[in-house]
Amino acid sequence: MKVELFPFQKRALADIRMKTAEAMGSYHRTHAPQVISFTAPTGAGKTIIMASLIESIFTGNDSFVEQPNAIVIWLSDSPQLNEQSKQKIDAKADRIRLGQCVTVNEDSFDKETFEDGHIYFLNTQKLSTSSKLTKQGDGRTYTIWQTLENTVDQKSDRLYFIIDEAHRGIQGREAGKATTIMQKFIKGSSSDGIPPMPVVIGMSATTDRFNKLVEGTSSTIHKVIVTAEDVRASGLLKDRIIITYPEEDAVNNDMAILQAAADDWKEKWEHWTLYCSEQHYAYVNPVFIVQVLNGTGKKLTDTDLADCLVKIQDRTGFKFEDGQVVHTFGQTTSAIPANGLEIRYVEPSRIADDRNIRVVFFKENLSTGWDCPRAETMMSFKRANDATYIAQLLGRMVRTPMQKHIQVDEVLNDVHLYLPYFNEDTVKDVVKAFQDSEGGTIPTDIYGESLSGKRFDTLTVKTSRKKTHSDCPGQLTMTTFSEDSETAPQSSNHEAPEEIQKSTPANPEYVPGLIQHVPHPESQNAAEVAPNEHITQANGEELKDEITGDQIPQRQDTTDELFDREAVMKFINDAGLLSYNVRSLRINDYLKSLYKMAHLLTMSGLYRTAIRDIQTEIAQMIHEYVENLKAKGIYENLVLQVMQFKLATQIFDAFGETVDNYFVHDLFTTTDTDIDRQFRIADAKLGNEGIGMVYGNKYMDADNPDGFKIDVILFVADDECMNKLHQYAETRFHGLNDDYRRYIATVDSEKIRRQYDSIVSDGDLVSKHNFRLPETIQIPHEDGGKEYSNHLFVSDNTGVATLKLNTWESGVIEEEEKRSDFVCWIRNPSRGSWALCIPYEMDGETKPAFPDFLVIRKDERLGYVIDILEPHNPDYKDNLGKAKGFAEYARQNPGVGRIQLIRMGKDPAGKNRFKRLDMSKSAIRDKVSHAMTNDELDHIFDTDGFFA
């Protein structure tokens, strides 16, 4: 494959490959039809997994021999779904030859059997009684049913039948037709003359959907299941779908909602522009999709497309060009004129790859079989009784454009859906419909919010996220749409004057990156602007948002900030602070992880000879093994076993009964081709890293050029050798990780850091990473929260973070703010994608802990120091486990400042105050690590806890 599969996809592939082989073997032993039920949530990459399966069937892998004459028939209910699947296989499966994928065309397809070595795409619409494929005559020799019957009769040993999605999205009578046709291949059809297909692989989002398809059959069912948790952890899907609807009793809100959606789309463009520019990625070009109404009479649609374009352009200030706005209306393939543009027709399957497309108008044909990860924002003019269609769209929008979670900017991990004719109750209907279609296991969180009731707040360490295209060389932005400078968005950089950004080193309180409190140079009285003061117009009236009517708060000027947020973030990210992933299942093996780590270190320049050294060390292991065999005098005998193979026959009578009970053996010499084949299999088991050739280049005997291949075959065939190899890989992997973890934290490339995190996650149940903060986060909006200007992440509009803390949390922060060395603090979100995680043991199980706060203080030598604080109720049974986990974390991270477990206690005066136990102190760590019960921990708090 041209793409690297995610660990859960690799596991699913291995499972489905094994069960497919078992099913084919079972069919030929028993002649009982076999069905593999492959279930995975929306966005799991079922098509990519199936493409990898087909590749492994045709070309083999380290466990199964190649079957180049295999035949794959891929059936779905939609030509568009077929076309998209075919395009994915052609584009991603590099071992599938051009031309191997064939769409069955009813005008030209006429064969006695399906040809070996091909993948055929069929859809149920071509198998109806009115289809040419099902009829003889007009020059057709074979019906599709006869072709299938003949193929099963003559080629059942290599025929694989895939049913894609089990008619997802089809409703009513059409769904019934599709079920009937699909069941013919599972149950057989006497009227059409076809038997059941030998091996059927069913792809579906839910077990229920496919179970209904196979109920009443005698087929043996093999199950392969990908869980929603696996997909959620992969980064393939957006973290959240946010559905926005108008306030109760609002009328005629459709165009206002469209404008709000346009605002969201414009914001996505700005965030993607900055992200792709800074990280040096190809630009994403997010798409705005608008679902319009069906037409009445002769009208294509009752939605005014021209008015929509005017509203979008007015709201964003962008002027579209021909080709940037398209439609997918099934009634016509002609261009539609609107607002001076020609809105051309594009097939849904072509949208994702057309980088020029910005806006898509559609009706209903994007809800089934369509996939466009660039669809970041959608608005629908549909009424509330169309909840089912809306729900189907959600599954098409949740995929991430870059197939990964964006660590730098959490805004880019959301997708927004705007519904002007829905309300809170009908939005719940949409979510329920989506849950029903996905079996209730949705890997993405779905939230509803009214237009003025924000669900999430965006906080950042940057003074402004907005840049024009001139700030990002080589990147397209929305401003590229228009040459009219008056309508183009303007850069809004709130940079503090240079003289304020720097403090004089002579100042004894000087800390790198810390901004001293200096009055604004233009302010005579240096009065601070209140964070919630509102912007006023020239006439003195407060400026309000056009849609919500809310007053627009004024951004507190960055010159009033007491510290440089970006400098603090850089210090934290460069500190090499440990964070952990706690998994419920180890997915990968250490040999593959070792290779990946070595390649990464070589590519990053941190250890340029890493992969070559690993290859050399493994080649040396093979050499030592061979020399040991020669010393024992058994080498030649083992070589002879490789060079010869036995042909075994057994004689049966006409009824399948054994005539004799013995095997007849003949010895045959293995050909060079057989040696090469065994060598390829051995090299694949060594990880396909060219180990065999590295060994050959160093130890090949010119008088016996195939000898090195036999050496490698013997090494791989020895279980003890392979066990030692994997033990070596585990030890070497951990050594490289420990040696280079801190250096990875300083690499500028986010791609390398992300690959590193992915590699170490595959190695262990608990894997350690470098903790890194994003530049932009999103937090749940909390009414009644307190405004904090000293939180590291703040609103770019107000300069504060509005957070609602409980009594203990707010009390701890108040105590920290009183310290003379206090700089800022961060709320560490429980299970957040970027959150600091510390593992601990409880009841024999490893669990993740997410301490409440990180506190940053001034340090004379380093500039800053990072503290970890956890206010925690002593009544919880996890107290001892977390204390031990924090103690071990403190031992492994000597560069961290305080690591405190905090609870309420009585001070000597009898007042309730916060009592702290600091795991950064070695004496405390030693006591905690030896404690066996929560009572013992309580005693340690009594003897060693202190009040700040």
Side-chain angles (χ1 to χ4, degrees):
M1 294 294 290
K2 294 178 183 177
V3 295
E4 174 78 9
L5 296 187
F6 286 86
F8 80 88
Q9 293 174 327
K10 293 177 183 177
R11 191 181 66 204
L13 172 62
D15 195 7
I16 198 170
R17 182 68 186 96
M18 180 185 68
K19 288 178 178 174
T20 301
E22 289 176 350
M24 184 62 77
S26 295
Y27 175 80
H28 286 286
R29 288 194 304 271
T30 66
H31 280 193
Q34 307 287 311
V35 172
I36 297 100
S37 173
F38 173 37
T39 304
T42 289
K46 291 186 285 292
T47 303
I48 293 296
I49 295 171
M50 294 306 296
S52 300
L53 172 68
I54 294 169
E55 267 195 343
S56 72
I57 290 173
F58 280 128
T59 62
N61 57 25
D62 56 358
S63 300
F64 299 94
V65 298
E66 64 269 18
Q67 197 175 8
N69 61 346
I71 301 163
V72 177
I73 301 174
W74 188 300
L75 177 73
S76 78
D77 52 52
S78 159
Q80 287 289 344
L81 184 56
N82 269 355
E83 181 61 23
Q84 189 141 334
S85 299
K86 180 174 176 292
Q87 289 176 8
K88 278 187 180 179
I89 293 175
D90 280 336
K92 305 297 184 184
D94 53 354
R95 290 184 288 168
I96 301 297
R97 301 186 313 273
L98 192 64
Q100 268 189 277
C101 294
V102 178
T103 299
V104 175
N105 190 304
E106 59 181 331
D107 293 323
S108 59
F109 186 86
D110 184 12
K111 295 183 182 294
E112 179 182 1
T113 65
F114 288 101
E115 294 181 357
D116 292 355
H118 286 81
I119 307 156
Y120 290 93
F121 288 87
L122 265 175
N123 66 79
T124 56
Q125 298 172 33
K126 293 179 180 177
L127 299 175
S128 64
T129 55
S130 60
S131 170
K132 295 178 183 178
L133 282 174
T134 61
K135 299 176 182 178
Q136 284 182 321
D138 294 330
R140 184 178 297 280
T141 307
Y142 302 98
T143 68
I144 190 67
W145 305 121
Q146 291 170 330
T147 304
L148 283 161
E149 181 185 11
N150 294 336
T151 304
V152 173
D153 183 53
Q154 300 174 32
K155 304 180 178 183
S156 61
D157 63 325
R158 54 191 182 275
L159 176 61
Y160 303 87
F161 200 95
I162 297 171
I163 295 180
D164 184 4
E165 290 284 319
H167 63 277
R168 174 190 175 93
I170 291 185
Q171 303 295 318
R173 182 179 300 177
E174 292 302 315
K177 290 180 182 178
T179 300
T180 301
I181 292 172
M182 289 179 174
Q183 285 182 333
K184 289 181 179 182
F185 302 103
I186 298 171
K187 297 180 177 181
S189 172
S190 57
S191 61
D192 297 304
I194 61 167
M197 296 297 105
V199 175
V200 173
I201 305 168
M203 300 162 55
S204 181
T206 71
T207 52
D208 291 343
R209 184 183 297 131
F210 193 73
N211 287 344
K212 290 179 181 177
L213 197 64
V214 299
E215 68 182 1
T217 70
S218 58
S219 301
T220 302
I221 310 295
H222 310 259
K223 293 184 178 180
V224 178
I225 298 173
V226 174
T227 67
E229 288 74 21
D230 288 336
V231 184
R232 182 187 290 271
S234 70
L236 272 172
L237 304 186
K238 296 282 191 178
D239 289 345
R240 292 181 290 263
I241 300 174
I242 302 175
I243 305 176
T244 301
Y245 52 88
E247 298 294 331
E248 289 287 345
D249 303 323
V251 294
N252 299 325
N253 276 287
D254 49 5
M255 287 303 171
I257 297 289
L258 179 66
Q259 289 175 320
D263 289 343
D264 177 79
W265 178 51
K266 177 185 175 185
E267 181 184 15
K268 283 294 180 70
W269 268 91
E270 292 168 345
H271 281 251
W272 275 119
T273 298
L274 191 59
Y275 175 79
C276 293
S277 173
E278 291 179 344
Q279 301 300 326
H280 308 291
Y281 286 118
Y283 199 54
V284 166
N285 293 12
V287 173
F288 184 15
I289 60 175
V290 182
Q291 186 177 36
V292 300
L293 300 173
N294 293 325
T296 55
K298 295 182 179 181
K299 292 195 296 184
L300 279 172
T301 172
D302 286 344
T303 303
D304 189 336
L305 301 184
D307 192 26
C308 289
L309 287 176
V310 169
K311 292 294 192 297
I312 295 172
Q313 291 184 149
D314 286 350
R315 193 71 184 186
T316 60
F318 312 135
K319 183 173 177 59
F320 298 116
E321 300 173 358
D322 286 339
Q324 294 175 338
V325 182
V326 301
H327 75 89
T328 67
F329 302 160
Q331 298 92 329
T332 180
T333 58
S334 301
I336 303 171
N339 195 40
L341 285 179
E342 290 292 314
I343 303 176
R344 63 184 175 92
Y345 171 80
V346 173
E347 291 183 5
S349 62
R350 305 284 179 182
I351 293 171
D353 294 328
D354 190 335
R355 313 295 290 182
N356 191 42
I357 293 175
R358 305 295 191 262
V359 177
V360 178
F361 290 109
F362 76 103
K363 294 180 185 177
E364 292 167 1
N365 59 347
L366 297 190
S367 59
T368 305
W370 179 70
D371 184 10
C372 183
R374 292 193 295 120
E376 295 269 296
T377 306
M378 194 198 88
M379 187 270 188
S380 175
F381 286 96
K382 285 284 186 181
R383 301 284 174 172
N385 57 0
D386 289 322
T388 301
Y389 285 115
I390 302 294
Q392 290 165 11
L393 277 168
L394 295 183
R396 321 317 305 169
M397 296 181 63
V398 296
R399 292 161 176 80
T400 52
M402 304 184 82
Q403 292 192 317
K404 65 182 181 181
H405 182 275
I406 303 300
Q407 293 180 325
V408 175
D409 187 347
E410 285 199 324
V411 170
L412 302 179
N413 297 311
D414 290 343
V415 62
H416 283 252
L417 175 59
Y418 289 81
L419 303 175
Y421 294 106
F422 283 64
N423 56 36
E424 184 175 2
D425 292 332
T426 50
V427 164
K428 291 178 182 177
D429 294 338
V430 172
V431 176
K432 182 179 183 303
F434 189 37
Q435 289 172 332
D436 290 343
S437 68
E438 297 301 316
T441 54
I442 305 171
T444 300
D445 295 324
I446 306 177
Y447 301 95
E449 67 175 23
S450 64
L451 194 58
S452 63
K454 283 190 66 176
R455 192 73 190 238
F456 294 95
D457 293 329
T458 300
L459 306 180
T460 182
V461 297
K462 291 202 167 187
T463 54
S464 176
R465 295 287 309 177
K466 300 176 183 178
K467 290 189 178 183
T468 64
H469 65 287
S470 61
D471 296 316
C472 308
Q475 296 290 351
L476 289 175
T477 71
M478 294 297 289
T479 57
T480 314
F481 285 10
S482 173
E483 297 178 0
D484 183 357
S485 61
E486 292 183 4
T487 58
Q490 300 299 313
S491 175
S492 179
N493 296 314
H494 302 285
E495 299 289 347
E498 185 176 354
E499 62 271 16
I500 299 178
Q501 294 277 354
K502 302 176 181 178
S503 294
T504 171
N507 188 338
E509 294 294 324
Y510 169 70
V511 176
L514 194 68
I515 297 178
Q516 306 303 311
H517 189 77
V518 179
H520 192 288
E522 297 178 4
S523 174
Q524 296 299 319
N525 56 9
E528 293 188 5
V529 180
N532 58 354
E533 185 177 335
H534 296 97
I535 298 174
T536 58
Q537 303 178 73
N539 59 9
E541 295 181 4
E542 290 180 331
L543 189 63
K544 297 184 178 182
D545 187 279
E546 295 177 19
I547 296 176
T548 64
D550 293 341
Q551 295 171 339
I552 300 178
Q554 177 170 318
R555 170 73 167 91
Q556 183 174 345
D557 197 287
T558 55
T559 55
D560 288 324
E561 294 177 359
L562 297 178
F563 64 97
D564 185 335
R565 300 180 190 279
E566 292 186 64
V568 171
M569 190 188 82
K570 183 178 185 302
F571 173 83
I572 295 171
N573 288 348
D574 289 348
L577 198 65
L578 280 180
S579 185
Y580 292 81
N581 276 351
V582 179
R583 311 175 79 97
S584 59
L585 179 69
R586 180 182 153 193
I587 296 173
N588 212 341
D589 65 65
Y590 280 109
L591 187 58
K592 292 181 180 178
S593 295
L594 174 61
Y595 289 143
K596 289 180 181 178
M597 177 70 80
H599 278 296
L600 184 69
L601 293 174
T602 298
M603 180 177 64
S604 67
L606 293 173
Y607 178 6
R608 294 189 182 278
T609 62
I611 188 62
R612 186 164 68 245
D613 290 352
I614 297 299
Q615 291 170 331
T616 301
E617 289 167 10
I618 297 176
Q620 180 64 26
M621 292 175 68
I622 300 174
H623 177 66
E624 291 173 357
Y625 166 72
V626 171
E627 291 300 307
N628 186 46
L629 292 179
K630 290 177 179 178
K632 291 180 178 179
I634 59 178
Y635 176 72
E636 295 299 333
N637 183 50
L638 291 173
V639 169
L640 189 63
Q641 292 183 31
V642 174
M643 294 297 294
Q644 293 180 337
F645 69 93
K646 297 177 180 180
L647 179 67
T649 62
Q650 195 169 9
I651 304 171
F652 298 87
D653 63 16
F655 301 100
E657 297 296 328
T658 304
V659 174
D660 56 3
N661 292 317
Y662 60 89
F663 286 93
V664 180
H665 300 294
D666 292 312
L667 289 178
F668 289 80
T669 302
T670 303
T671 65
D672 290 343
T673 302
D674 293 324
I675 292 291
D676 287 340
R677 179 175 163 277
Q678 291 185 63
F679 177 72
R680 290 198 308 272
I681 293 173
D683 202 47
K685 290 183 177 180
L686 291 173
N688 277 323
E689 284 291 330
I691 301 296
M693 293 309 299
V694 172
Y695 174 78
N697 290 336
K698 190 168 185 179
Y699 299 107
M700 183 177 70
D701 182 354
D703 296 330
N704 181 19
D706 280 342
F708 81 91
K709 297 180 183 178
I710 295 173
D711 291 351
V712 174
I713 294 168
L714 289 174
F715 180 86
V716 170
D718 190 311
D719 288 341
E720 185 178 348
C721 287
M722 293 303 289
N723 288 336
K724 287 182 178 178
L725 175 63
H726 286 286
Q727 289 170 4
Y728 153 83
E730 180 176 354
T731 302
R732 194 76 163 90
F733 171 82
H734 285 304
L736 289 176
N737 187 25
D738 290 338
D739 290 343
Y740 290 94
R741 175 183 58 79
R742 289 184 179 273
Y743 301 111
I744 289 284
T746 64
V747 173
D748 290 336
S749 170
E750 188 212 12
K751 183 178 181 180
I752 288 177
R753 295 195 302 268
R754 180 182 295 279
Q755 288 177 350
Y756 166 78
D757 286 344
S758 175
I759 291 166
V760 296
S761 294
D762 293 347
D764 289 304
L765 296 176
V766 179
S767 57
K768 52 190 173 185
H769 304 260
N770 295 307
F771 174 68
R772 291 190 66 85
L773 292 172
E775 295 171 356
T776 301
I777 66 171
Q778 287 192 313
I779 63 170
H781 179 80
E782 297 175 305
D783 292 328
K786 180 180 176 182
E787 293 182 345
Y788 291 93
S789 60
N790 55 18
H791 190 266
L792 179 62
F793 295 95
V794 293
S795 167
D796 191 33
N797 293 325
T798 64
V800 298
T802 303
L803 302 168
K804 193 172 185 179
L805 306 182
N806 64 35
T807 305
W808 280 27
E809 292 170 340
S810 60
V812 168
I813 293 300
E814 287 176 8
E815 282 193 356
E816 293 300 310
E817 289 172 329
K818 295 174 183 177
R819 294 180 60 102
S820 61
D821 57 354
F822 172 80
V823 177
C824 65
W825 62 285
I826 307 166
R827 190 181 198 179
N828 190 47
S830 178
R831 300 188 182 276
S833 59
W834 56 269
L836 179 74
C837 176
I838 298 176
Y840 69 98
E841 300 284 335
M842 190 174 75
D843 300 330
E845 183 180 350
T846 302
K847 296 177 178 290
F850 298 88
D852 284 341
F853 303 124
L854 302 182
V855 170
I856 293 83
R857 294 180 291 114
K858 291 180 287 185
D859 182 86
E860 291 184 1
R861 288 189 176 183
L862 300 176
Y864 300 106
V865 64
I866 306 166
D867 300 327
I868 298 172
L869 307 183
E870 165 72 358
H872 203 69
N873 192 318
D875 294 335
Y876 296 154
K877 67 176 184 177
D878 62 1
N879 264 262
L880 179 61
K882 285 189 173 179
K884 286 175 172 284
F886 289 178
E888 177 60 20
Y889 184 87
R891 186 186 67 79
Q892 294 187 27
N893 288 265
V896 177
R898 302 170 296 161
I899 303 182
Q900 296 180 345
L901 200 62
I902 303 172
R903 56 176 62 170
M904 188 67 74
K906 297 284 187 181
D907 67 7
K911 294 183 179 179
N912 283 328
R913 291 176 58 195
F914 293 111
K915 199 168 193 178
R916 303 172 181 236
L917 196 64
D918 195 346
M919 310 300 170
S920 67
K921 301 182 183 302
S922 58
I924 304 297
R925 286 202 303 272
D926 187 60
K927 290 183 179 181
V928 169
S929 63
H930 287 91
M932 301 299 294
T933 65
N934 279 323
D935 288 339
E936 291 181 52
L937 178 64
D938 292 342
H939 179 69
I940 296 172
F941 253 101
D942 291 338
T943 58
D944 296 273
F946 64 94
F947 299 98

